[in-house]
């Protein structure tokens, strides 16, 4: 009988142990770099240095994700409204190098995220997923994942979700190692940093009718 991809696996326990060890190594060995980045952010953007935002995690439960701040505060009087207007040169550099993601290893240590898994998206997207797409929450969200090494923000939403669910179905130590190694190349080559025509990414506003027709369990 085929294994149910949504049930816990022995690797899931080992994965958590590897996450803790990996997060501790990054947080300890990377502390000087993180301190330097924090200083740069403080000078460029002021306080707070960290961006904190509620995101859905395992089983859709909310947690507070932390990143280095890459944008100025919204200020309509100064014309700072859209992502493109608020994103600073320092912020672009942090996103291009993925250094803004380093504080997320604290989320990994706390058990809210994994090193590898589907990226945690916005809370308001939860009601827009089809049941198949919502399976992305059957595992902890990750700092990197299949979608990140197969196009990152340059992917269309449907492709991102397909890669996320594929990871849920195929998750294994070997796949995680491949994703981590591929992530190094993606970061170095600066692939897919932003969606075409957007400063960061295009907002997900829901599935097209074709998705609903293909998934009878889909409910808006």
């Amino acid at each position: 009988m085929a294994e149910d991809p949504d049930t816990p696996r022995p690797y899931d326990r080992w994965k958590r142990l590897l996450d803790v060890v990996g997060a501790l190594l990054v947080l300890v060995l990377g502390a000087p770099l993180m301190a330097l980045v924090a200083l740069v952010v403080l000078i460029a953007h002021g306080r707070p240095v960290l961006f904190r935002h509620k995101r859905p995690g395992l089983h859709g439960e909310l947690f507070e994700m932390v990143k280095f701040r890459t944008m100025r505060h919204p200020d309509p009087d100064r014309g700072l409204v859209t992502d493109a207007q608020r994103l600073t040169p320092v912020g672009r550099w942090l996103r291009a190098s993925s250094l803004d993601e380093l504080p997320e290893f604290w989320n990994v240590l706390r058990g809210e995220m994994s090193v590898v898994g589907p990226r945690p998206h916005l809370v308001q997207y939860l009601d827009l997923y089809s049941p198949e797409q919502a399976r992305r929450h059957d595992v902890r969200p990750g700092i990197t994942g299949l979608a990140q090494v197969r196009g990152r923000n340059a992917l269309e939403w449907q492709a991102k979700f397909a890669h996320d669910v594929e990871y849920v179905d195929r998750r294994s130590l070997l796949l995680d190692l491949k994703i981590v190694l591929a992530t190094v190349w993606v970061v170095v080559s600066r692939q897919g940093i932003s969606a075409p025509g957007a400063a960061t990414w295009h907002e997900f506003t829901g599935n097209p009718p074709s998705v609903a027709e293909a998934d009878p369990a889909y409910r808006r």
Side-chain angles (χ1 to χ4, degrees), residues 41-142:
V41 172
L42 179 63
I43 294 171
H45 303 150
R47 298 179 183 275
V49 168
L50 295 177
F51 169 75
R52 302 174 182 271
H53 203 256
K54 291 290 185 181
R55 297 292 172 94
L58 182 63
H59 306 314
E61 295 186 7
L62 302 187
F63 71 98
E64 188 175 69
M65 187 180 73
V66 291
K67 301 173 63 173
F68 284 119
R69 192 155 67 91
T70 59
M71 296 184 181
R72 300 183 182 95
H73 296 297
D75 188 346
D77 293 337
R78 296 172 55 199
L80 302 177
V81 179
T82 66
D83 286 354
Q85 293 165 340
R86 295 170 53 211
L87 187 62
T88 67
V90 168
R92 289 189 180 90
W93 170 69
L94 289 174
R95 286 173 178 262
S97 62
S98 294
L99 290 174
D100 62 318
E101 310 281 357
L102 287 175
E104 290 174 27
F105 282 96
W106 174 246
N107 291 121
V108 174
L109 190 61
R110 287 170 55 90
E112 298 158 336
M113 293 181 65
S114 176
V115 173
V116 180
R119 284 294 297 170
H121 293 313
L122 301 179
V123 174
Q124 57 262 39
Y125 294 172
L126 284 172
D127 292 335
L128 301 177
Y129 296 139
S130 72
E132 177 70 5
Q133 293 165 348
R135 291 181 55 229
R136 67 193 308 278
H137 296 296
D138 288 344
V139 297
R140 287 183 178 87

Side-chain angles (χ1 to χ4, degrees), residues 137-191:
H137 296 296
D138 288 344
V139 297
R140 287 183 178 87
I143 295 177
T144 186
L146 267 184
Q148 282 58 58
V149 300
R150 290 181 175 176
R152 208 171 173 182
N153 288 331
L155 292 174
E156 297 290 337
W157 279 109
Q158 304 305 323
K160 288 183 182 181
F161 297 146
H163 294 320
D164 291 343
V165 174
E166 180 185 348
Y167 177 78
V168 173
D169 292 342
R170 294 180 52 210
R171 64 191 188 274
S172 67
L173 175 60
L174 180 59
L175 181 59
D176 280 6
L177 291 175
K178 289 180 177 179
I179 290 173
V180 170
L181 291 176
T183 299
V184 175
W185 169 247
V186 169
V187 171
V188 170
S189 62
R190 301 192 174 190
Q191 297 177 2

